[in-house]
Amino acid sequence: MRIHHLNCICACPLGGRLMDGRSPSIFQRGSLCCHCLLVETEAGLCLIDTGYGLRDVRQPGARLSGFFLRLMSPDFREEMTAVRQIERLGFAPSDVRHILLTHLDFDHAGGLDDFPRATVHLMTQESEDAQAQRTWLDRQRYRPAQWASRARWRTHVSRHGEPWYGFDCVRDLPGLPPEILMVPLPGHTTGHAGIAIRTPQEWLLMAGDAYFHHLEMRWASPYCTPGLRLYQTLMEKDRGARLRNQQRLRELVRDQAGRVRVLCAHDNTEFEALAARSIQAPAPASGMSASAEALQPSRQ
Ligand SMILES: [Zn+2]
């Protein structure tokens, strides 16, 4: 089972260094990746989260909220959309048969429309909450304009007694191999879930927005940048559940080292370690390694 790491468009938040911890100043905008996974399986390609899509790039104002466009000012480069990177890898958009969403926030669901043959898996709670549009913030974060795929959504509930390293999980996702599970991790949103993938070496758990900075997973004195701490507080649906799940993830990292590797959606350090390239670079073109491509003359 081969896994590709795709950054599907950076957010460039106000606060610079206060957010990403590595921009030179707090007065310029920062960069936060949107880490998506493309998994090659016997059932076809599975995409874990979609980042922003082609229509977000072309018409951001029609799809996204003015509030988040000003706050996050995404770097709308078409070549960084999931669909364009998947094409660079040598696949067709129709090869993507399944999409698993950690949640329905605008920066995770924007690419859904680019994969018309995919079944979209998400938690039932997330689908219900997003469509209810209860609060002002819900209407900014959940964007029905991104959901042309709604007829292909397949929602799941977690049943007790299907444990995965101390977490409940959803197994036997229809059409998907048993190596892919959903692991509910509510807090950031009520129907938020991690996606676990069994590789020959270890389990990979994409924890979505359950945490935002890799040092939050450090057992001794966890750390998060002040900007991302504030952002997580602004966006949380259930603070108690969010903090409890972060603690459980820290325990998982501590106790299952070598068996489970945990990653999140917006940490640049994790992305660059796993993808072995900068957050600014799209997936290497098919048949070409990242290092070989770096030697090619620039097309600009
Ligand atoms: Zn996010």
Side-chain angles (χ1 to χ4, degrees):
M1 189 174 288
R2 184 146 183 232
I3 299 182
H4 305 271
H5 297 270
L6 311 177
N7 170 23
C8 299
I9 298 193
C10 276
C12 305
L14 291 170
R17 190 180 181 84
L18 286 176
M19 296 292 277
D20 62 24
R22 67 183 204 179
S23 288
S25 130
I26 66 170
F27 300 109
Q28 67 190 76
R29 285 182 177 270
S31 285
L32 295 172
C33 68
C34 188
H35 192 159
C36 304
L37 306 175
L38 181 71
V39 189
E40 295 181 33
T41 76
E42 285 171 11
L45 295 179
C46 299
L47 182 62
I48 317 294
D49 281 349
T50 70
Y52 295 99
L54 288 179
R55 294 181 201 176
D56 300 318
V57 169
R58 290 171 186 165
Q59 284 198 295
R63 307 246 306 172
L64 301 160
S65 86
F67 172 74
F68 281 111
L69 281 174
R70 279 187 291 276
L71 186 67
M72 289 304 183
S73 184
D75 180 18
F76 287 121
R77 289 162 56 197
E78 182 169 326
E79 62 175 340
M80 298 301 284
T81 57
V83 67
R84 290 290 179 254
Q85 293 194 68
I86 287 168
E87 288 167 349
R88 274 172 70 86
L89 287 165
F91 301 108
S94 58
D95 294 336
V96 176
R97 297 307 168 86
H98 296 276
I99 296 174
L100 293 103
L101 290 179
T102 59
H103 63 304
L104 269 169
D105 273 352
F106 59 95
D107 53 335
H108 298 255
L112 289 176
D113 294 349
D114 298 333
F115 302 99
R117 289 197 61 191
T119 301
V120 179
H121 301 267
L122 69 162
M123 300 303 292
T124 304
Q125 183 79 48
E126 187 69 5
S127 166
E128 288 176 358
D129 271 10
Q131 296 186 64
Q133 301 263 296
R134 285 189 193 90
T135 66
W136 176 85
L137 186 59
D138 284 355
R139 293 187 286 277
Q140 313 310 306
R141 74 194 298 175
Y142 294 131
R143 306 298 288 178
Q146 294 177 323
W147 304 341
S149 58
R150 218 179 308 188
R152 287 178 281 112
W153 289 7
R154 194 92 198 233
T155 68
H156 305 283
V157 287
S158 166
R159 290 178 205 83
H160 288 291
E162 298 186 82
W164 181 85
Y165 290 107
F167 291 80
D168 287 328
C169 75
V170 182
R171 291 185 199 276
D172 301 326
L173 296 160
L176 284 161
E179 289 81 16
I180 299 184
L181 314 174
M182 296 186 80
V183 180
L185 293 172
H188 179 73
T189 63
T190 49
H192 185 279
I195 313 295
I197 307 150
R198 185 164 57 206
T199 73
Q201 299 80 32
E202 61 189 354
W203 283 93
L204 214 53
L205 177 64
M206 165 47 82
D209 288 2
Y211 71 98
F212 273 65
H213 192 282
H214 61 284
L215 291 179
E216 286 183 283
M217 290 296 103
R218 188 167 64 181
W219 181 254
S221 57
Y223 170 81
C224 183
T225 58
L228 285 178
R229 223 164 29 216
L230 188 67
Y231 189 71
Q232 292 191 75
T233 302
L234 168 75
M235 299 299 281
E236 70 196 5
K237 282 280 185 191
D238 181 338
R239 183 174 182 78
R242 182 173 75 79
L243 298 178
R244 242 183 345 268
N245 276 322
Q246 270 189 3
Q247 180 66 10
R248 296 170 74 208
L249 287 171
R250 263 190 293 279
E251 287 168 7
L252 184 69
V253 169
R254 180 195 61 184
D255 298 341
Q256 304 299 338
R259 283 185 283 273
V260 181
R261 179 160 185 168
V262 177
L263 61 152
C264 70
H266 301 299
D267 184 87
N268 300 335
T269 304
E270 287 177 353
F271 179 85
E272 290 179 347
L274 284 157
R277 64 176 186 275
S278 155
I279 58 166
Q280 302 299 339
S286 124
M288 206 179 270
S289 70
S291 52
E293 191 176 39
L295 298 171
Q296 294 287 309
S298 165
R299 262 167 279 161
Q300 283 164 6

